[in-house]
Amino acid sequence: MNIEEFRAELNTRLLIEKQYLTQEASSVNAEERLELLGKFNEKYKELIKRLAIENGIDLSESYPSEDSSDSENLTYEQIILGKTMNVYDRLSDELYEEITNI
């Protein structure tokens, strides 16, 4: 699985988690609703780990650099976080809007 496929699968699974949390928000008080944002953050981290395991990716392993003279050895985890953070940001912003407007 390449990084773009990983990102797409993560997006799908995070969207499902966001829907569950939005439903949960309707049954809790305002303070607990904001705590759902922290829960969403944890789901993001868990899903990255789960997808990595499912696809045989060692997150601590160095990501192969296209430039062999590149002195920065980034791990798969760092690359994945960098490539998927915008997915998380967009969905967490949507979740915030939805739970604060209940």
Side-chain angles (χ1 to χ4, degrees), residues 50-73:
R50 186 177 309 140
L51 277 170
I53 290 168
E54 288 174 9
N55 291 284
I57 299 170
D58 180 354
L59 292 174
S60 62
E61 187 177 308
S62 290
Y63 186 79
S65 174
E66 294 169 3
D67 181 5
S68 60
S69 66
D70 192 2
S71 62
E72 260 189 278
N73 287 329

Side-chain angles (χ1 to χ4, degrees), residues 1 6 10 13-14 41-60 76-77 80-81 84:
M1 174 179 268
F6 190 99
L10 181 66
R13 293 187 189 193
L14 273 177
N41 181 275
E42 290 303 313
K43 290 291 184 181
Y44 169 64
K45 293 175 190 176
E46 288 172 18
L47 283 172
I48 286 176
K49 289 176 185 171
R50 186 177 309 140
L51 277 170
I53 290 168
E54 288 174 9
N55 291 284
I57 299 170
D58 180 354
L59 292 174
S60 62
Y76 273 92
E77 183 174 30
I80 289 169
L81 286 172
T84 62

Side-chain angles (χ1 to χ4, degrees), residues 21-32:
L21 292 173
T22 301
Q23 290 174 355
E24 185 178 333
S26 63
S27 64
V28 297
N29 67 38
E31 185 178 311
E32 291 172 320

